[in-house]
């Protein structure tokens, strides 16, 4: 990350980051009747997030994967005497998550168009603020700035759960806030220790500092706890089922589709990349926790009676696969983990929207209340089948590419690691196909199913783009791999050096 490309439209990243705040301010300044302000808030939020997505695509088009290092970089003195600056920019890895955030936000806004009916203006402000904090988090190149954005995501996310969520929303919001905030304290301690040792919080400088082995271990332990809560890693997942279930569907989409990726991104950026010695030492522990998450969450998902909780535990299981990929410490495994993060963000969002399309009409999420829904909603059944197959890891979908690369990386470590991690596909097929069969197939028993109607234009406007991207990632994965693979290979050079010195540890770490 030390080679810096000459800035190409450096203002572009600032526009992508802060334009949502401008939209939020415009919404807050809107005056008029209650209905008029709600309508204006929806349209301002949609247009703002749509423009941000277009600008993010322009960034993608202008990004040069062949050039190592940071692009669209900006650095301004902040607390220069203390070694702290406003330093932002993207490499191939962070650019993909900026795109994911910008892509899912307008879809989440459309998805909540009719479902969110109370305090609409406040809700749209929270959604736009969340978008700014997420994009700022992924583009931050100063650890203090990263920490500020990371903590700032808590406010809009917790409010969306606590104000617009389900019956247990307050408890779910409190759990989410306390778990994440508590974990963040460990990151703050690690941040202060790094600043005390180096006199700077610049991420690029810290990656090349060369911390001692003992200090690396203590720092990585702090970051694993901090980001393990957000991912989440087993056993730091207690907040997840209630938060994902009680949150309104658009908030569930942002939580599972993007916010959980902040944890995985942090583990990659501040764990694997920054502390290579400690990463090799901690790898067996994290790999074991990843395998436990894959199997445990899949078994729990099969026992659920609430459709949304099945998807929530499915998300937890797939995050275990991502943890495995990251700590294989191989280019294939890390490429697969990043690809799986992107694919999972798309597929899990689509599954939450599919569940919402049925439960919003029926006013229940209980699996036992449904049978033969496909007779009444054939378009939904078709799209849901695609997303279920993608969640399982069917070839031709993005999830297959990610899981395949993770398993290749895991094979370099251990056959049994690859075997146990690969059970995510088998167990995923069991609980997802059981859910699909029970809800969409079977005899139409009448009752609430008889009252269902197929997808509206708004719902298709959300699900069709997700379906297109799901297939695109499976059919032409190089569109995405070519962007972040050079960054992964370049940043793994320190790991290759460590591997040459310590051949008895986890093997086949390539640079």
């Amino acid at each position: 990350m030390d080679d810096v490309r000459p800035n190409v439209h450096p203002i572009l990243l600032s526009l992508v980051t802060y334009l949502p705040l401008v939209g939020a301010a415009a919404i807050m300044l809107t005056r008029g009747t209650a209905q008029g302000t709600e309508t204006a808030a929806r349209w301002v939020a949609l247009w703002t997030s749509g423009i941000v997505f277009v600008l993010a695509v322009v960034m993608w088009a202008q990004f040069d994967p062949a050039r190592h290092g940071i692009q669209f970089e900006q650095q301004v003195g902040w607390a220069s005497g203390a070694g702290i600056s406003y330093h932002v920019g993207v490499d191939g890895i962070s650019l993909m998550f900026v795109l994911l955030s910008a892509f899912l936000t307008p879809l989440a806004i459309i998805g909540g168009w009719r479902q969110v009916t109370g305090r609409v203006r406040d809700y749209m402000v929270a959604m736009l603020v969340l978008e700014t904090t997420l994009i700022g988090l992924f583009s931050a190149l100063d650890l203090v700035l990263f920490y500020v954005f990371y903590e700032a995501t808590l406010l809009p996310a917790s409010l969306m759960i606590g104000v617009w969520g389900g019956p247990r929303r307050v408890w779910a919001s409190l759990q989410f806030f306390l778990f994440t905030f508590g974990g963040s304290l460990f990151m703050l301690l690690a941040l202060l220790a790094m600043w005390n040792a180096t006199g700077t919080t610049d991420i690029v400088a810290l990656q090349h500092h060369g911390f001692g082995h003992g200090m690396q271990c203590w720092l990585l332990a702090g970051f694993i706890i901090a980001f393990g809560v957000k991912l989440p890693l087993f056993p730091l997942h207690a907040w997840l089922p209630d938060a994902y279930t009680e949150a309104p569907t658009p908030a569930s989409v942002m939580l599972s589709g993007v916010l959980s990726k902040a944890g995985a991104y942090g583990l990659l950026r501040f764990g694997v990349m920054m502390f290579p010695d400690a990463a090799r030492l901690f790898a067996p522990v994290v790999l074991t926790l990843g395998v436990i998450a894959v199997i445990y969450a899949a078994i729990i998902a099969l026992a659920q009676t609430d459709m949304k909780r099945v998807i929530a535990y499915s998300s937890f299981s797939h995050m275990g696969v991502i943890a495995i990929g990251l700590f294989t410490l191989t280019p294939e495994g890390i490429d697969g983990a990043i690809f799986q993060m992107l694919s999972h963000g798309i597929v899990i969002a689509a599954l939450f929207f599919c569940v919402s399309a049925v439960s919003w009409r029926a006013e229940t999420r209980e699996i036992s209340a449904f049978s033969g829904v496909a007779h009444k909603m054939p378009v939904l059944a078709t799209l849901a089948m695609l997303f279920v197959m993608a969640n399982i890891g069917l070839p031709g979908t993005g999830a297959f590419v990610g899981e395949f690369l993770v398993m290749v990386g895991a094979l370099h470590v251990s056959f049994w690691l690859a075997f146990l991690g690969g059970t995510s596909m088998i167990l995923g097929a069991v609980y997802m196909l059981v859910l699909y069969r029970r809800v969409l197939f079977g005899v139409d028993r009448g009752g609430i199913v008889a009252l269902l109607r197929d997808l509206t234009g708004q719902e298709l406007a959300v699900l069709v783009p997700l379906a297109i991207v799901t297939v695109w990632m499976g059919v032409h994965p190089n569109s995405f791999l070519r962007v972040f693979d050079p960054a992964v290979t370049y940043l793994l050079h320190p790991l290759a050096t460590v591997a040459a010195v310590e051949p008895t540890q986890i093997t086949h770490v390539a640079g």
Side-chain angles (χ1 to χ4, degrees), residues 7 20 34 62 107 113 128 134 152-153 166 193 195 242 303 389 396 424 493:
N7 286 336
Q62 293 185 355
L107 299 183
W113 202 271
L128 291 176
L134 287 169
T153 61
W195 175 80
D242 286 336
M389 292 296 104
S424 64
H493 283 164

Side-chain angles (χ1 to χ4, degrees), residues 240 244 256 260 310-320 344 348:
L240 180 144
Y244 284 13
S256 61
S260 65
V310 174
I311 307 304
Y313 278 106
S314 169
S315 178
F316 178 32
S317 180
H318 282 83
M319 296 311 288
H344 176 266
I348 206 70

Side-chain angles (χ1 to χ4, degrees), residues 237-326:
H237 66 283
W239 62 269
L240 180 144
D242 286 336
Y244 284 13
T245 304
E246 296 301 319
T249 297
S252 298
V253 166
M254 298 303 291
L255 285 171
S256 61
V258 188
L259 201 54
S260 65
K261 309 307 177 291
Y265 175 81
L267 280 178
L268 174 62
R269 185 70 77 191
F270 305 110
V272 174
M273 301 299 188
M274 193 174 287
F275 310 119
D277 294 328
R280 294 173 61 79
L281 183 65
F282 278 77
V285 176
V286 179
L287 292 173
T288 301
L289 294 177
V291 169
I292 292 173
V294 167
I295 298 173
Y296 166 80
I299 294 172
I300 299 298
L302 189 59
Q304 299 305 304
T305 59
D306 182 315
M307 292 187 290
K308 208 172 180 184
R309 289 184 80 86
V310 174
I311 307 304
Y313 278 106
S314 169
S315 178
F316 178 32
S317 180
H318 282 83
M319 296 311 288
V321 175
I322 291 168
I324 291 172
L326 292 177

Side-chain angles (χ1 to χ4, degrees), residues 16-188:
V16 171
T17 305
Y18 296 108
L19 191 58
L21 285 186
V22 176
I27 292 173
M28 292 299 293
L29 293 173
T30 303
R31 295 292 180 265
T33 64
Q35 184 176 359
T37 55
E38 289 180 0
T39 302
R42 291 187 176 100
W43 282 108
V44 170
L46 180 58
W47 275 103
T48 302
S49 59
I51 293 170
V52 168
F53 174 62
V54 171
L55 292 174
V57 171
V58 172
M59 283 182 61
W60 186 15
Q62 293 185 355
F63 185 84
D64 183 4
R67 301 289 296 267
H68 294 306
I70 304 303
Q71 301 178 38
F72 303 100
E73 185 184 33
Q74 286 183 300
Q75 187 167 14
V76 179
W78 190 7
S80 303
I84 302 170
S85 65
Y86 176 85
H87 190 190
V88 295
V90 295
D91 62 2
I93 300 170
S94 50
L95 175 63
M96 288 290 95
F97 294 105
V98 170
L99 267 171
L100 180 65
S101 305
F103 177 62
L104 288 183
T105 302
L107 299 183
I109 289 170
I110 298 172
W113 202 271
R114 292 191 302 167
Q115 295 184 17
V116 177
T117 55
R119 302 182 64 175
V120 174
R121 185 169 69 170
D122 297 338
Y123 174 84
M124 294 301 169
V125 167
M127 184 66 75
L128 291 176
V129 170
L130 180 61
E131 182 178 23
T132 282
T133 57
L134 287 169
I135 294 174
L137 179 157
F138 291 124
S139 59
L141 292 174
D142 184 277
L143 198 47
V144 170
L145 185 64
F146 178 89
Y147 181 79
V148 169
F149 278 121
Y150 188 86
E151 291 293 270
T153 61
L154 274 177
L155 297 176
S158 298
L159 285 174
M160 284 195 286
I161 299 171
V163 177
W164 294 276
R168 301 181 69 242
R169 59 186 181 273
V170 175
W171 169 242
S173 177
L174 185 62
Q175 265 193 316
F176 170 72
F177 186 91
L178 291 178
F179 264 85
T180 307
F181 187 73
S184 300
L185 293 179
F186 290 90
M187 176 168 43
L188 179 60

